[in-house]
Amino acid sequence: MNMRNHTLLNEFILRGISQTEGLEAVLCAVFSFIYLFTLLGNLVILVAIVSSSTLHTPMYFFLGLLSIFDILFPSVTCPKMLLYLSGQSPVISYKGCASQLFFYHLLGSAEGCLYSVTSYDRFVAICHPLRYMLIMKPGVCVSLVVVAGLVGCLHATILTSFAFQLSYCGPNQVDYFFCNIPAALPLACTDSALAQRVGSINVGFLALTLLISVCICYTRTGIA
C-alpha cells in the first residue's frame, strides 16, 4: 500500500464496550463505584502499613507495593473510560494511546512479578523461618522489586515498540475502552502479523513463567 496516499492518524476514538449503547450512565456509575472502592481500599492498606512500625517487614513491604500498583494499574484506563461514559469526548491522542498501552503492560507485568516475589517470600517465611530475615534482608527485597520493574519495563517497551512502529492511517475507531494491542493492531494500514506474534509470545511467555513460579513456591510451601 502506498503510504503517500494516506494521512497518518494523530488520534483515536475509543468506542468502549460493544453492545452497551444507551447504558453509558449506568456503566459510568457502576465503574465509578468500583474504581473509587478500589482506590480507597488500597489506600487504607497502604496507610496502615506505613503508619504502623510493627508492619515494617518484608511481607508488608511487598503488600504495600501491591497496593500502590493496584492504585496505579486501573488509573491507566479508568479515568478516560469514565470521562467518555459521562458524555465527554472519546478521543485519545496517538501519543496518549501509546502511553496508555505502555503503562498498562508495564504496571500489569510488574505487578505479576510482584505476586511471584510475594509467593517466594511466603515460601522462605514458612520453610526457612529461622533464616527468614537473613534471606529477605532489605537489600534483597529492593533488588527483587527493581527486577520486577525492569521486567515490566522491558515487556512494555517491546510490545509498544512493535505496535507503534506500524503506520496507522484509518479507520481510527478502537473497539474497546482503552488502547490495547488486540484492539489497536487491526487499525494498522501496514502488515501487523509480526507485531501480533511478538505480542502473543511475549504476553504468553511472561504469564506462563509467573504462573509456574507461583505454583512452585506454593506447592513447596504446602509440602513443607
Side-chain angles (χ1 to χ4, degrees):
M1 181 178 294
N2 189 347
M3 292 302 302
R4 290 177 296 181
N5 295 331
H6 297 272
T7 301
L8 297 181
L9 299 177
N10 56 17
E11 64 183 25
F12 295 93
I13 298 175
L14 300 174
R15 298 186 61 186
I17 305 171
S18 61
Q19 299 179 345
T20 58
E21 291 79 5
L23 298 176
E24 287 82 4
V26 175
L27 291 175
C28 183
V30 171
F31 287 128
S32 295
F33 174 78
I34 295 174
Y35 180 52
L36 292 175
F37 187 79
T38 299
L39 296 183
L40 180 61
N42 284 287
L43 186 60
V44 169
I45 294 173
L46 188 59
V47 170
I49 292 173
V50 172
S51 61
S52 177
S53 59
T54 59
L55 300 181
H56 294 175
T57 63
M59 180 180 73
Y60 288 102
F61 170 68
F62 294 129
L63 182 60
L65 286 175
L66 286 173
S67 294
I68 293 175
F69 275 91
D70 280 339
I71 291 173
L72 296 177
F73 185 53
S75 297
V76 174
T77 57
C78 282
K80 182 63 178 178
M81 177 184 69
L82 294 176
L83 281 175
Y84 69 70
L85 284 176
S86 64
Q88 302 298 315
S89 173
V91 173
I92 184 171
S93 68
Y94 181 88
K95 292 182 178 179
C97 186
S99 298
Q100 198 175 62
L101 189 151
F102 176 81
F103 285 107
Y104 177 81
H105 284 281
L106 168 63
L107 295 171
S109 55
E111 185 171 7
C113 291
L114 279 179
Y115 280 117
S116 181
V117 170
T118 302
S119 66
Y120 173 72
D121 173 73
R122 291 301 82 206
F123 163 72
V124 175
I126 295 173
C127 298
H128 304 283
L130 299 180
R131 295 194 297 151
Y132 175 68
M133 294 307 298
L134 179 63
I135 296 174
M136 300 301 294
K137 52 189 177 182
V140 173
C141 294
V142 172
S143 297
L144 291 172
V145 172
V146 170
V147 171
L150 291 175
V151 170
C153 187
L154 178 62
H155 171 73
T157 299
I158 292 173
L159 294 185
T160 307
S161 298
F162 272 89
F164 284 91
Q165 72 177 352
L166 303 174
S167 297
Y168 294 86
C169 51
N172 67 338
Q173 296 186 346
V174 179
D175 289 325
Y176 207 43
F177 61 91
F178 71 98
C179 288
N180 199 6
I181 288 180
L185 287 186
L187 304 181
C189 51
T190 52
D191 186 12
S192 62
L194 178 60
Q196 290 175 343
R197 286 196 297 269
V198 171
S200 298
I201 293 172
N202 205 3
V203 172
F205 176 77
L206 181 61
L208 183 60
T209 301
L210 295 178
L211 176 62
I212 291 174
S213 66
V214 170
C215 290
I216 290 174
C217 287
Y218 281 120
T219 299
R220 294 191 63 182
T221 301
I223 293 175

